[in-house]
Amino acid sequence: MSSPSMRIRRLLPVALVATATALALTGCEPGALAPNDSEAPSPSASETDPSSPTPSASETELPEPPTPTPAPTGSALPTTPPVAGDISCTDVYSADQLYEFNPNFAPTAEQGSLPGAIDDVADAGGTVCAYQHVTGADRLLIGVLNDAAGFAAPAFETVAGMGVATSPQNSAIIAVASEYFDTVQDAQQVIDQVADNLD
């Protein structure tokens, strides 16, 4: 037979693990570590004082949160909304092509400014598609103007830290902009992909 001290020695690690687990699980209550912004729980019907008046519905309603105001246009915010033209953004640049450009980019519709020829394409009624890095402010802007008669823009310029490349394609203009473009050659693959999509 085993002595009582041997049994305690065998059960001690099990008891410690069970205690630690029980303590750890008590912290699993949802919102246990989050600050409590809600009011204290209301007492049950049996605990309320019958002589106290019951608040009306208007007294218990919470005020509505303020409606966010949109950013002013022309501001230098990190993202830019797509500008609807006669071509949809899914026809301009496919999801597979965006993934090939950078798998961490996604379409965006937030407010922001348009650099150089991209702004000119939008002003002329073209399509502008905006994509942004999901964890940062880097973006890719693609502008397409189908009827580009009289449209003039430099082949490459840097505007507000973004390289902007413009290329005529038959009767259309394709303009692309990104922080990733230091030369027109950096933007050429995106221009070629968009040109292929338009054919």
Side-chain angles (χ1 to χ4, degrees):
M1 287 201 189
S2 62
S3 69
S5 64
M6 281 301 257
R7 276 191 233 154
I8 291 175
R9 284 186 191 164
R10 279 191 234 154
L11 293 176
L12 185 60
V14 173
L16 288 175
V17 169
T19 303
T21 303
L23 287 174
L25 290 177
T26 59
C28 291
E29 177 184 340
L33 299 178
N36 189 0
D37 292 337
S38 64
E39 296 178 15
S42 60
S44 67
S46 63
E47 295 175 0
T48 55
D49 182 11
S51 64
S52 66
T54 304
S56 67
S58 63
E59 292 175 357
T60 59
E61 291 178 13
L62 296 175
E64 291 193 25
T67 314
T69 56
T73 58
S75 64
L77 297 176
T79 59
T80 307
V83 177
D86 53 353
I87 307 168
S88 73
C89 286
T90 56
D91 293 334
V92 171
Y93 206 58
S94 73
D96 290 338
Q97 291 167 329
L98 182 62
Y99 185 85
E100 184 180 328
F101 174 76
N102 188 320
N104 296 314
F105 270 60
T108 184
E110 295 184 28
Q111 295 292 322
S113 61
L114 298 171
I118 300 288
D119 189 37
D120 297 339
V121 167
D123 288 345
T127 300
V128 176
C129 305
Y131 309 94
Q132 183 172 350
H133 195 283
V134 294
T135 60
D138 294 342
R139 53 189 177 148
L140 169 66
L141 305 173
I142 301 173
V144 177
L145 181 61
N146 273 335
D147 184 15
F151 187 89
F156 187 82
E157 63 182 333
T158 301
V159 179
M162 293 183 77
V164 182
T166 307
S167 175
Q169 301 289 324
N170 300 323
S171 65
I173 286 287
I174 298 172
V176 297
S178 179
E179 289 84 359
Y180 295 0
F181 302 151
D182 293 324
T183 65
V184 72
Q185 289 81 13
D186 295 337
Q188 194 61 51
Q189 180 179 357
V190 175
I191 291 171
D192 292 343
Q193 290 173 327
V194 172
D196 290 343
N197 293 345
L198 297 178
D199 287 340

